[in-house]
Amino acid sequence: MARNTTLIVTRHGDRDGEVLSLKGQQRALALVSALQGMALDAIYSPGIKRNLDTAAPLSNARGLPIERRTQENPAPRLAQEAAGRSVIWIGNKGNIQNIWDSFALLEPAPLEYGDLHIVRVDANGRVTVERRRFGPT
């Protein structure tokens, strides 16, 4: 990842089949509060309903569109588009793991509902990962 980049990664909200459960809807709303005070330049998500529904409250709160990206191997394009910016990827287990592996991040990937990892690359190229939890338990 490029210097001066922040990549926020989380999994879509809890689901019941292909749609968000009530807990997932609550988690989607909680994402807005979890990111309060953080700069955000873009919201990226695969075009899957549960991902888009998780991103919708954040999109509405920030006035940012949800930019749909392919769920297969998103890391190369994400690295390019996120360069020098602060962006969020609201993904699925497989593509989140792909991102983690592609960027050679050592922390466990945020694969559980409510995991929120903030990957920062500073001006010197130093990478840090801040792990958070959000939403209902």
Side-chain angles (χ1 to χ4, degrees):
M1 286 186 0
R3 295 169 190 243
N4 299 312
T5 298
T6 299
L7 173 62
I8 304 160
V9 181
T10 193
R11 184 178 176 195
H12 59 76
D14 316 52
R15 65 182 176 136
D16 185 10
E18 294 302 312
V19 298
L20 293 182
S21 64
L22 177 58
K23 197 173 192 179
Q25 293 169 27
Q26 293 169 338
R27 194 173 308 281
L29 292 171
L31 182 59
V32 175
S33 297
L35 297 177
Q36 190 165 352
M38 289 188 63
L40 193 59
D41 299 308
I43 302 169
Y44 297 116
S45 170
I48 301 169
K49 183 169 176 37
R50 63 185 175 264
N51 296 71
L52 297 172
D53 289 348
T54 301
L58 183 61
S59 172
N60 291 334
R62 296 292 184 107
L64 291 170
I66 302 167
E67 299 184 39
R68 296 179 185 193
R69 298 296 182 262
T70 182
Q71 66 176 336
E72 290 82 21
N73 193 25
R77 185 172 180 188
L78 191 57
Q80 181 182 25
E81 293 180 335
R85 302 170 68 205
S86 180
V87 304
I88 186 168
W89 173 260
I90 300 172
N92 304 67
K93 280 185 174 183
N95 53 56
I96 290 172
Q97 190 63 58
N98 168 266
I99 291 167
W100 232 246
D101 294 344
S102 294
F103 296 146
L105 297 167
L106 301 178
E107 299 282 332
L111 302 179
E112 300 301 320
Y113 297 126
D115 283 351
L116 180 74
H117 287 28
I118 303 161
V119 181
R120 292 182 177 96
V121 183
D122 69 15
N124 296 316
R126 191 180 75 129
V127 178
T128 59
V129 179
E130 178 185 346
R131 300 171 63 185
R132 295 184 185 177
R133 296 276 308 153
F134 73 99
T137 56

